[in-house]
Amino acid sequence: MRKTAIITGAGRGIGAEIAYRLSADGFNVALNDLNAEALAETAMKCKDFGITAACFPADVSSHDACEKMVKSIKENFGTIDVLVNNAGITRDGLLARMSEENYDLVVAVNQKSVFNMMKHVSAVMMKQRSGRIINVSSVAGLHGNAGQFNYSASKAAVIGMTKSAAKELGARGIAVNAIAPGFIQTPMTDALTDEQKAAILNLIAMKRYGTVDEIAGLVSFLAGKDSAYITGQVIEISGGLTI
Ligand code: NAP
């Protein structure tokens, strides 16, 4: 029987590429995003790999919406074997100028969503006594980043949640890891100014941005059989941004 992977924020960017890669690996995929149209496009491409793909448009910052979505995925697919918490946003600004609204929004989408999804999915995985959870954090969560006070807070929290859940769920055969990408070429980083991009490139040992398929490859490894004994880890994938 095929295994099932949930990918949040799968409408574009890193999430869409993870969906393609896990489909190529033979997973059935349950795809989430706010944008139902973009999600349908991702699903169509996933189906080219001969697997089952279904769309679950929902706002992952809503606890109720996540509960309903996970229930529906379980009913549709029977099992939930992999959860990739990828959905995320930025509302960048310096601490001194940051509005409460932008702080709360980024924490809700990037951090609370991980609680929402892990709470409901881990209940299913605990009964199955197996599962993999992969949380997409960021180098900003590991090292901080000026101008990303809210984003760094949310991504650092994801690392704490990952380690705590790994300790709580390990005995049930569930591995929980985080990945911390550096600068990856996606619509999120396209929004940076040319000056910001040049300054960042200068700091990266490999002198290039990462690509979405490089992130998807790491997720594929963490979802696959070769990583069965890895849990509670944060794997940085940044081309040597912080060495
Ligand atoms: P992206 O291109 O902006 O894609 C993010 C996706 O998440 C979008 O499709 C977006 O939908 C969706 N989304 C946003 N809010 C949502 C919500 N409340 N519920 C469900 N879906 C929602 O970003 P990306 O660059 O692929 O980033 C993916 C993840 O990697 C994020 O967690 C990001 O923080 C992390 N990351 C990215 C980089 C990078 O350099 N790109 C570096 C480190 C970490 P809409 O289109 O409707 O907004």
Side-chain angles (χ1 to χ4, degrees):
M1 203 173 98
R2 284 192 191 281
K3 291 184 171 181
T4 304
I6 304 177
I7 302 110
T8 69
R12 68 178 196 196
I14 292 171
E17 195 65 28
I18 291 170
Y20 306 145
R21 180 60 188 259
L22 294 184
S23 300
D25 289 348
F27 286 93
N28 288 329
V29 289
L31 306 171
N32 156 270
D33 202 280
L34 276 180
N35 183 335
E37 234 171 82
L39 204 52
E41 257 180 59
T42 305
M44 218 165 58
K45 290 190 196 161
C46 289
K47 285 176 187 166
D48 287 345
F49 293 97
I51 52 85
T52 302
C55 299
F56 299 86
D59 179 351
V60 286
S61 68
S62 156
H63 193 258
D64 279 1
C66 289
E67 184 170 17
K68 284 187 192 122
M69 173 166 59
V70 172
K71 191 164 176 269
S72 171
I73 292 170
K74 173 78 172 82
E75 281 165 7
N76 272 265
F77 287 90
T79 65
I80 301 175
D81 304 285
V82 173
L83 166 65
V84 185
N85 280 310
N86 164 79
I89 58 167
T90 51
R91 292 291 184 277
D92 293 348
L94 295 169
L95 168 60
R97 290 200 205 125
M98 184 161 292
S99 66
E100 183 183 5
E101 190 190 0
N102 278 346
Y103 182 84
D104 288 345
L105 180 64
V106 167
V107 166
V109 175
N110 296 2
Q111 175 184 333
K112 190 176 173 219
S113 66
V114 175
F115 161 67
N116 294 341
M117 290 303 291
M118 282 178 65
K119 178 173 162 87
H120 301 299
V121 168
S122 66
V124 175
M125 288 178 171
M126 279 197 284
K127 281 192 194 138
Q128 290 172 184
R129 297 198 159 263
S130 69
R132 302 285 175 84
I133 299 174
I134 300 144
N135 294 324
V136 181
S137 177
S138 166
V139 287
L142 280 170
H143 308 288
N145 196 21
Q148 288 198 310
F149 185 83
N150 49 358
Y151 184 79
S152 305
S154 69
K155 294 298 188 180
V158 167
I159 292 171
M161 291 155 110
T162 299
K163 293 185 179 189
S164 300
K167 288 183 178 179
E168 289 186 14
L169 303 174
R172 302 286 188 110
I174 302 164
V176 189
N177 291 291
I179 65 168
F183 288 86
I184 312 302
Q185 187 137 23
T186 71
M188 187 181 267
T189 44
D190 287 345
L192 296 170
T193 65
D194 286 345
E195 279 139 20
Q196 284 171 318
K197 286 180 188 168
I200 289 161
L201 275 182
N202 199 32
L203 297 173
I204 300 172
M206 300 187 100
K207 300 296 171 210
R208 65 169 179 87
Y209 278 137
T211 60
V212 288
D213 58 303
E214 287 169 329
I215 302 298
L218 177 56
V219 171
S220 164
F221 169 69
L222 290 172
K225 65 177 173 45
D226 290 338
S227 62
Y229 200 51
I230 299 176
T231 197
Q233 303 305 304
V234 186
I235 303 179
E236 182 171 325
I237 174 163
S238 69
L241 176 68
T242 59
I243 47 177

